[in-house]
């Protein structure tokens, strides 16, 4: 009983803390870009993607906090058909949106920062700003259609095992879920695989381009410390971190929704933690590596206010 209680408390506290960090970080990103949109009556392409991404992540992490609390405190209530379907569809929709928007952000950074001489890439460089709004709305539509597939043929079921509920004399069943295999295959291909490929390809090509340019700068360096070279190295590290976080999140999401493990399995708990870490970690890195966002957060700090 003590072991179960410790596991439940640890999961709720860890996921809750990560979600709170993510909500604060994404709330800051959303507020900065929304304020800029209102003041200037327009928003940059980068700001538009960040706004869509931050809103989807705030909703996702708020939803994750609620789901974790309910699954641990009221599993029978959560597994009622209507509520279960609503939670499942909402969870999938918000995850789809987060994956797609992050993929388009990587795509946009690749097109704007990378340096390739291919005519197709140069044409893409000129047209990307006009395409992004359509791609964002298309992603919303794809996410909605894909998530709606999960409102049917997914049922909560019980196994014969049970364990004692902490602080109670009652017991509760261990929950499993049966998933339609065709829906899962469609989910993997359209909901995860396509944005995953976009992210991996664009992030990898951006790293290759930055690495090539950095080597060229080293060969031409005079020996003095070059801030531009340091900026390139920082961009390579940041993009690599983004790539690692994105891949781990996509794999965790797929395994979690596949229902390979039972609901109380340590693996499922690990997947939840990774899915909570990714939006928070990625958003913190975005703030750190975006000069505009970094200046805003420094201006709002107490030390900066004291100076002014």
């Amino acid at each position: 009983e003590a072991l179960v209680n410790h596991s439940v408390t640890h999961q709720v506290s860890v996921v809750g803390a990560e979600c709170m960090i993510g909500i604060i970080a994404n709330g800051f990103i959303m507020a900065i870009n929304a304020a800029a949109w209102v003041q200037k009556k327009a928003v940059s392409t980068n700001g538009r993607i960040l706004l869509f991404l931050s809103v989807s992540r705030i909703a996702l992490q708020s939803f994750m906090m609620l789901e974790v609390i309910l699954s641990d405190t009221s599993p029978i209530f959560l597994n009622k058909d209507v509520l279960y379907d609503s939670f499942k569809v909402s969870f999938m929709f918000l995850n789809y949106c987060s994956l797609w928007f992050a993929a388009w952000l990587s795509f946009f950074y690749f097109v704007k920062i990378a340096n390739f001489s291919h005519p197709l890439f140069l044409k893409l460089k000129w047209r990307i700003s006009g395409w992004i709004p359509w791609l964002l709305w298309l992603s919303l539509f794809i996410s909605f259609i894909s998530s709606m597939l999960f409102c049917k043929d997914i049922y909560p079921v019980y196994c014969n095992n049970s364990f004692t509920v902490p602080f109670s004399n009652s017991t509760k069943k261990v929950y499993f879920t049966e998933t339609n295999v065709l829906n899962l295959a469609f989910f993997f291909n359209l909901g995860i695989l396509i944005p995953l490929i976009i992210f991996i390809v664009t992030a990898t090509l951006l790293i290759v381009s930055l690495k090539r340019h950095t080597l060229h700068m080293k060969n031409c360096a005079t020996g003095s410390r070059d801030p531009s070279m340091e900026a390139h190295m920082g961009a390579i590290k940041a993009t690599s971190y983004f790539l690692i976080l994105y891949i781990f999140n996509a794999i965790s999401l797929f395994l979690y929704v596949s229902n390979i493990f039972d609901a109380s399995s340590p693996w499922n708990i690990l997947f939840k933690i990774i899915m909570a870490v990714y939006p928070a970690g990625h958003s913190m890195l975005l703030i750190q590596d975006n000069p505009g966002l970094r200046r805003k957060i420094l201006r709002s700090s107490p030390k900066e206010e004291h100076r002014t």
Side-chain angles (χ1 to χ4, degrees):
E1 181 176 332
L3 183 61
V4 173
N5 180 31
H6 176 74
S7 176
V8 170
T9 304
H10 183 69
Q11 177 191 350
V12 172
S13 60
V14 171
V15 174
E18 289 165 353
C19 287
M20 283 304 301
I21 293 171
I23 290 170
I24 292 170
N26 284 288
F28 175 78
I29 295 173
M30 180 190 71
I32 294 300
N33 287 284
W37 197 341
V38 171
Q39 289 173 1
K40 300 177 181 178
K41 306 298 181 183
V43 64
S44 65
T45 303
N46 180 57
R48 188 188 298 269
I49 302 174
L50 288 174
L51 187 58
F52 273 70
L53 181 61
S54 59
V55 170
S56 69
R57 285 179 170 173
I58 290 171
L60 173 61
Q61 298 207 282
S62 300
F63 185 86
M64 286 182 68
M65 287 181 66
L66 179 62
E67 191 271 337
V68 167
I69 293 170
L70 287 178
S71 64
D72 288 325
T73 58
S74 306
I76 297 175
F77 173 74
L78 181 61
N79 280 275
K80 290 181 179 178
D81 289 347
V82 175
L83 190 62
Y84 181 86
D85 288 346
S86 300
F87 265 73
K88 195 74 170 182
V89 171
S90 300
F91 178 77
M92 296 311 304
F93 172 71
L94 294 171
N95 268 290
Y96 281 146
C97 289
S98 179
L99 288 171
W100 275 106
F101 297 155
W104 293 132
L105 184 65
S106 177
F107 179 69
F108 178 73
Y109 284 165
F110 158 67
V111 172
K112 285 297 183 180
I113 299 174
N115 186 19
F116 293 101
S117 58
H118 194 280
L120 183 62
F121 179 78
L122 296 175
K123 186 179 293 186
L124 190 62
K125 219 174 182 68
W126 281 100
R127 297 185 177 181
I128 184 65
S129 296
W131 288 357
I132 286 295
W134 295 101
L135 292 173
L136 292 173
W137 288 110
L138 178 62
S139 301
L140 275 172
F141 177 74
I142 293 174
S143 300
F144 177 76
I145 296 298
S146 303
S147 61
M148 289 306 295
L149 292 174
F150 281 80
C151 69
K152 292 190 176 182
D153 298 324
I154 306 177
Y155 307 102
V157 295
Y158 310 94
C159 71
N160 293 326
N161 299 324
S162 61
F163 62 90
T164 304
V165 180
F167 308 115
S168 172
N169 293 325
S170 62
T171 60
K172 68 178 180 180
K173 298 289 186 180
V174 179
Y175 289 86
F176 289 89
T177 305
E178 295 176 347
T179 292
N180 184 291
V181 176
L182 291 178
N183 284 358
L184 189 62
F186 186 85
F187 151 77
F188 176 74
N189 286 296
L190 188 60
I192 287 186
L193 189 61
I194 296 177
L196 180 62
I197 290 174
I198 293 172
F199 197 101
I200 290 175
V201 170
T202 55
T204 303
L205 288 175
L206 178 56
I207 291 171
V208 168
S209 176
L210 289 170
K211 194 76 175 176
R212 186 177 61 183
H213 190 59
T214 302
L215 290 173
H216 176 72
M217 292 170 66
K218 281 183 178 179
N219 293 332
C220 300
T222 58
S224 59
R225 191 172 180 180
D226 189 350
S228 179
M229 187 181 299
E230 291 182 2
H232 277 70
M233 293 303 297
I236 292 171
K237 290 180 181 178
T239 306
S240 301
Y241 294 150
F242 292 163
L243 184 59
I244 293 169
L245 283 170
Y246 193 95
I247 291 173
F248 270 94
N249 177 70
I251 294 173
S252 298
L253 177 61
F254 177 71
L255 292 175
Y256 179 73
V257 178
S258 301
N259 302 307
I260 298 172
F261 308 98
D262 66 86
S264 59
S265 166
W267 285 105
N268 261 6
I269 295 174
L270 176 62
F271 298 150
K272 282 184 180 180
I273 291 173
I274 292 173
M275 287 187 289
V277 166
Y278 164 68
H282 188 220
S283 300
M284 294 294 289
L285 287 172
L286 283 175
I287 294 173
Q288 178 183 337
D289 295 311
N290 187 302
L293 292 174
R294 193 167 62 248
R295 282 195 299 270
K296 292 286 185 181
I297 202 167
L298 288 175
R299 286 177 188 172
S300 62
S301 65
K303 186 182 290 186
E304 189 71 20
E305 288 179 6
H306 179 70
R307 287 179 182 175
T308 57

